[in-house]
Amino acid sequence: MIHASRTDTGRTAAAPVAKPVVLVENPQGRSPILLICEHASKHLPERYGTLGLSADQLESHIAWDPGAVGVAKELSRLLDAPLIHAGVSRLVLDLNRDPSAPDSIWTLSERTTIPGNQNLDADERAYRVREVYDVFHGMVSRFVEARVSAGQISGIVTVHSFTPVYQGVPRPWHIGLIFNRDERFARSVEAGLHRDPALVLGMNEPYSPADRVFHTLERHAERRGLAPLMIEIRNDLIRTEDGQASWAHRLAPLLREGARTL
């Protein structure tokens, strides 16, 4: 496993080692698909404390995408695909947003105020961009460029989860496929998922690129002509390891077939 992190200056040699900002698993994987999970972690580095949130809030969807990294890791194994995932909570900085976006650092998530993110000055924002965003996306860029040069990549898939209820409104979908101008990957996986008549599938639901959730794929896939696909799975379906494995086994053959058509 490859990992990258930056630590605060002034730490002594005896200080605990900081958790990496970005981790790369199965970097030599032979699949032409790169998997990314930007909201894999609920970890808050020591300098942020709890950001004024309760333990329950730090376990909830506002801190990470529950179950997503478990699905991504099992997909990595089944597909023999490299996986890049975050080691820091999106409460510090949302890696799937442009740093200039107002929701790059959340001050309010659904109905929860983030006290530790209120009234941040320019220096603190710049610090988070440098130490989190730049480290993560720098690793992704270098990895993708190396795979492109070697002719080893044709598509990038990001794995996310969403809440069953948002702002008091139930969400009916079991899974959503998010896509933009390049629909190749999404349409191929859609066809496979439609074989299950009991499955409620959302196309560009519960989010779409208009919600600014496509940043990672815009930056690393679309600009290079690689096929992008964002997968959103309802998080009550992947809370357990069995649920994560079940969804990975459902998706792996569809992603494998989709990659063959690119």
Side-chain angles (χ1 to χ4, degrees), residues 8-255:
D8 297 334
T9 58
R11 287 186 182 271
T12 66
V17 176
K19 187 171 182 178
V21 168
V22 55
L23 302 97
V24 183
E25 302 199 24
N26 193 17
Q28 303 304 320
R30 294 172 295 176
S31 172
I33 299 170
L34 169 63
L35 299 167
I36 298 178
C37 190
E38 305 100 309
H39 301 149
S41 177
K42 59 190 174 185
H43 172 69
L44 289 176
E46 184 180 350
R47 72 180 265 125
Y48 302 108
T50 66
L51 291 174
L53 298 170
S54 69
D56 285 347
Q57 288 169 328
L58 292 174
E59 290 286 337
S60 74
H61 185 80
I62 69 171
W64 65 322
D65 278 1
V69 73
V71 175
K73 287 181 177 182
E74 184 65 3
L75 282 173
S76 174
R77 186 186 72 81
L78 293 170
L79 296 170
D80 190 23
L83 165 64
I84 301 179
H85 61 93
V88 175
S89 170
R90 63 159 149 236
L91 290 168
V92 176
L93 181 141
D94 192 326
L95 290 164
N96 196 26
R97 300 289 192 276
D98 188 286
S100 64
D103 52 0
S104 171
I105 299 176
W106 294 92
T107 57
L108 178 69
S109 182
E110 193 171 353
R111 295 171 178 171
T112 303
T113 298
I114 319 298
N117 285 348
Q118 304 296 315
N119 304 313
L120 298 183
D121 61 25
D123 287 345
E124 174 60 22
R125 288 182 170 276
Y127 177 90
R128 296 191 193 189
V129 171
R130 182 177 70 250
E131 300 296 321
V132 180
Y133 180 92
D134 289 349
V135 173
F136 182 87
H137 285 282
M139 174 69 83
V140 175
S141 289
R142 292 189 296 273
F143 192 88
V144 172
E145 286 298 339
R147 301 283 284 198
V148 168
S149 295
Q152 295 176 328
I153 185 171
S154 57
I156 299 178
V157 176
T158 61
V159 182
H160 296 257
S161 69
F162 65 94
T163 56
V165 178
Y166 182 73
Q167 300 286 12
V169 179
R171 288 160 152 174
W173 311 283
H174 298 116
I175 184 172
L177 303 179
I178 317 304
F179 56 94
N180 200 10
R181 293 178 296 274
D182 186 340
E183 302 182 5
R184 292 174 293 166
F185 223 154
R187 295 303 179 187
S188 177
V189 175
E190 176 192 20
L193 291 174
H194 275 316
R195 295 175 195 141
D196 181 353
L199 191 69
V200 182
L201 170 62
M203 300 302 286
N204 276 330
E205 296 286 1
Y207 307 106
S208 78
D211 299 308
R212 299 194 304 276
V213 300
F214 217 64
H215 174 69
T216 295
L217 290 169
E218 287 174 348
R219 173 169 175 172
H220 300 291
E222 287 192 332
R223 294 178 186 177
R224 294 180 172 93
L226 302 174
L229 175 61
M230 180 177 178
I231 295 174
E232 287 271 3
I233 305 171
R234 207 174 68 203
N235 67 25
D236 60 318
L237 304 175
I238 53 174
R239 288 281 183 178
T240 66
E241 291 184 3
D242 285 348
Q244 294 158 21
S246 175
W247 274 94
H249 279 264
R250 181 196 293 252
L251 288 167
L254 306 183
L255 292 172

